[in-house]
Amino acid sequence: MKVIFLDIDGVLNTDETIDRIDDEYLKTGIEKIYIDEFRVEYLKQIVDMTDAKIVLSSSLRWRFKKVGDKCVARTKYASEFLNVFEKYGLFLYDITPNIDNGSRQDEIREWLSLNGNIDNFVILDDETVNLMDFVGNNLVVLNKLPVGQMVRDMKDSTGLCEHHIEEAINILNKRVQCKSLIKNVKN
């Protein structure tokens, strides 16, 4: 199985998304979910080309819960998010565990150690600080900052762009590189 560890803020949206949707809300009074559907289309292309499963690693994952073999919404935002995913034929396969005082890197490692039969994975995230062990191997960095510098403002995030699609597909389709990393995670 191939896995996409997905962050939401800074990946499926940017500062521009939030500004645009806030402007629409002021004009229409209708609340909208803070994601760009064209970025969901990019994610769909990655899934279609790799048959990868999506595991939510975002700090917003508390808005979802795993019930049986699927993730369901706990909040209105999560319900809207899942509706957009469903529109594109996508679904959340799982959610990374929440480790007290742990980093996103720790949570992804924990998920990998608890789930077997992983052929490869990619992390789509705008943050590198808490994912340093994955830089250069399995992380597609979606920000404008030097690796290791913390994203403090969504203005630094690029969001998932067309040029990231091929990078993510290439990472997911490289089997050898991942096997050694997963072996090290489990040891």
Side-chain angles (χ1 to χ4, degrees), residues 8 21 25 29-35 60 62-65 72-85:
I8 295 175
I21 291 173
Y25 175 72
I30 299 170
E31 277 191 83
K32 289 191 143 199
I33 186 168
Y34 288 108
I35 61 172
L60 298 175
W62 66 269
R63 296 176 184 225
F64 304 84
K65 65 180 175 179
V72 297
R74 291 180 188 239
T75 66
K76 182 180 181 216
Y77 175 94
S79 181
E80 291 174 13
F81 180 90
L82 292 176
N83 287 340
V84 172
F85 261 44

Side-chain angles (χ1 to χ4, degrees), residues 2 4 14-15 23 27 32 36 39 51 56-57 63 79 90 105 107 109 112 114 126 155 168 178:
K2 297 175 186 176
I4 298 169
T14 64
D15 198 47
D23 287 346
K27 291 176 187 170
K32 289 191 143 199
D36 291 312
R39 295 183 200 284
D51 292 322
L56 195 61
S57 57
R63 296 176 184 225
S79 181
L90 297 172
Q105 178 170 283
E107 293 163 346
R109 285 185 182 287
L112 287 168
L114 295 172
D126 65 329
K155 289 181 178 130
C178 180

Side-chain angles (χ1 to χ4, degrees), residues 11-29:
V11 176
L12 296 180
N13 62 30
T14 64
D15 198 47
E16 292 171 8
T17 312
I18 295 166
D19 290 344
R20 185 183 70 251
I21 291 173
D22 283 347
D23 287 346
E24 288 177 26
Y25 175 72
L26 289 174
K27 291 176 187 170
T28 65

Side-chain angles (χ1 to χ4, degrees), residues 14-157:
T14 64
D15 198 47
E16 292 171 8
T17 312
I18 295 166
D19 290 344
R20 185 183 70 251
I21 291 173
D22 283 347
D23 287 346
E24 288 177 26
Y25 175 72
L26 289 174
K27 291 176 187 170
T28 65
I30 299 170
E31 277 191 83
K32 289 191 143 199
I33 186 168
Y34 288 108
I35 61 172
D36 291 312
E37 287 196 36
F38 71 90
R39 295 183 200 284
V40 176
E41 287 181 45
Y42 296 159
L43 179 62
K44 172 74 169 149
Q45 289 178 44
I46 297 167
V47 169
D48 286 349
M49 295 299 293
T50 62
D51 292 322
K53 307 284 187 207
I54 301 170
V55 175
L56 195 61
S57 57
S58 170
S59 59
L60 298 175
R61 67 188 183 281
W62 66 269
R63 296 176 184 225
F64 304 84
K65 65 180 175 179
K66 179 93 179 216
V67 177
D69 63 347
K70 65 186 222 175
C71 294
V72 297
R74 291 180 188 239
T75 66
K76 182 180 181 216
Y77 175 94
S79 181
E80 291 174 13
F81 180 90
L82 292 176
N83 287 340
V84 172
F85 261 44
E86 187 176 308
K87 177 178 171 181
Y88 290 93
L90 297 172
F91 69 96
L92 295 179
Y93 176 77
D94 204 353
I95 303 164
T96 56
N98 184 30
I99 299 175
D100 289 337
N101 300 317
S103 68
R104 187 161 298 169
Q105 178 170 283
D106 297 333
E107 293 163 346
I108 289 171
R109 285 185 182 287
E110 179 70 12
W111 190 94
L112 287 168
S113 73
L114 295 172
N115 293 272
N117 198 29
I118 307 299
D119 294 320
N120 211 339
F121 66 94
V122 69
I123 303 166
L124 301 178
D125 206 307
D126 65 329
E127 190 62 74
T128 59
V129 171
N130 294 317
L131 294 165
M132 289 302 292
D133 286 355
F134 299 115
V135 170
N137 293 314
N138 296 80
L139 176 63
V140 176
V141 180
L142 306 173
N143 71 47
K144 306 169 196 165
L145 302 172
V147 171
Q149 188 171 339
M150 183 174 278
V151 173
R152 300 199 185 277
D153 190 319
M154 286 273 289
K155 289 181 178 130
D156 294 327
S157 301

Side-chain angles (χ1 to χ4, degrees), residues 166-183:
E166 185 176 351
E167 182 181 358
I169 291 169
N170 287 339
I171 290 170
L172 285 166
N173 288 334
K174 286 183 185 172
R175 205 177 185 136
V176 176
Q177 153 196 334
C178 180
K179 285 295 183 186
S180 62
L181 184 57
I182 289 173
K183 184 179 176 185

